[in-house]
């Protein structure tokens, strides 16, 4: 599996696009950012600043994956209407602080709030990670956060922005799988009766 079709909202949120680089394929977790060129290609395809032509080190790849986990945690906390865990909050804000703009996320009892910190100069991959983190902070602290949904297809781990009230799946593929499974189950029950 080389790619997954974009989920609704990925065109509006690079943070959402990053979260959805972790998928389930044939019942097994699959990371779309594995391989020597996967991360540089992903960053370049989204127009992110990073030291082009240089390799992504293992430590940089782990930083990107750590940011992805923190963003997923923030998005899921927003979906579920619960507080974000302090470790994810700190990771998201730390990544954002390396960029030219530094939005910071705080989590009040009534949900996420956007704060601003004094910027500092970032280098290397820091600016790309800061851009992704800033996008994720913007999503959870804006009305877009109210549109975040988890795909309802069994086994799917992707998130999406609900672009219309009836959408329940991240892709046509997931929707088709659910409908086929329902039809199969209905047919099986009718045969048993």
């Amino acid at each position: 599996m080389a790619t997954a079709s974009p989920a609704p909202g990925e065109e509006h949120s690079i943070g959402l696009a990053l979260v959805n680089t972790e998928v389930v394929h044939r019942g097994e977790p699959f990371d779309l950012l594995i391989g020597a060129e996967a991360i540089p290609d992903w960053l370049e395809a989204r127009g992110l600043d990073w030291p082009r032509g240089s390799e992504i080190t293992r430590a940089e790849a782990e930083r990107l994956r750590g940011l992805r986990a923190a963003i997923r945690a923030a998005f899921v906390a927003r979906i579920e209407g619960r507080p974000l865990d302090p470790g994810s909050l700190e990771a998201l804000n730390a990544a954002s602080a390396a960029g030219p703009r530094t939005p910071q996320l705080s989590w009040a009892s009534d949900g996420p709030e956007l704060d601003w910190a004094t910027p500092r100069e970032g280098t290397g991959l820091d600016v790309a990670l800061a851009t992704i983190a800033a996008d994720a902070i913007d999503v959870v602290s804006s009305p877009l956060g109210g549109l975040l949904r988890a795909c309802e297809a069994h086994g799917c781990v992707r998130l999406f922005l609900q672009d219309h009230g009836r959408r329940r799946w991240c892709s046509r593929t997931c929707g088709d799988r659910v409908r086929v499974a329902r039809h199969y189950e209905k047919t099986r029950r009718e045969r048993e009766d």
Side-chain angles (χ1 to χ4, degrees):
M1 174 176 195
T3 62
S5 62
E10 286 185 23
E11 70 279 10
H12 302 296
S13 171
I14 196 165
L16 182 61
L18 177 62
V19 165
N20 286 335
T21 60
E22 261 185 325
V23 298
V24 172
H25 181 67
R26 297 184 180 170
E28 296 294 321
F30 190 82
D31 188 343
L32 298 173
L33 298 180
I34 296 292
E37 295 300 316
I39 292 174
D41 288 350
W42 188 87
L43 293 169
E44 189 170 329
R46 281 144 192 90
L48 290 170
D49 293 328
W50 68 285
R52 300 202 192 306
S54 63
E55 287 188 30
I56 301 293
T57 66
R58 177 173 279 166
E60 289 171 328
E62 288 307 311
R63 286 179 51 217
L64 180 64
R65 288 186 187 95
L67 178 58
R68 177 176 62 191
I71 293 170
R72 176 178 288 282
F75 286 179
V76 170
R78 177 67 195 255
I79 290 168
E80 295 175 353
R82 62 173 170 75
L84 179 60
D85 68 275
S88 296
L89 184 63
E90 183 179 328
L92 199 51
N93 286 332
S96 177
R101 299 181 14 183
T102 57
Q104 297 288 285
L105 184 63
S106 60
W107 212 276
S109 61
D110 61 341
E113 294 179 357
L114 180 62
D115 294 326
W116 293 92
T118 305
R120 70 175 178 84
E121 180 100 12
T123 60
L125 193 63
D126 290 341
V127 174
L129 296 181
T131 302
I132 297 167
D135 171 79
I137 289 170
D138 182 54
V139 168
V140 297
S141 63
S142 75
L144 280 179
L147 301 176
L148 280 167
R149 300 289 186 273
C151 182
E152 293 182 20
H154 177 72
C156 185
V157 297
R158 294 190 343 147
L159 305 176
F160 63 94
L161 292 175
Q162 188 178 38
D163 55 1
H164 63 78
R166 294 180 52 200
R167 181 176 291 281
R168 297 173 49 205
W169 304 292
C170 69
S171 66
R172 174 174 276 151
T173 302
C174 279
D176 289 347
R177 273 187 333 174
V178 170
R179 286 186 282 277
V180 166
R182 277 190 208 144
H183 176 74
Y184 173 79
E185 183 61 27
K186 179 182 174 189
T187 304
R188 185 188 64 77
R189 275 185 282 160
E190 287 173 353
R191 284 187 205 147
E192 288 178 354
D193 290 341

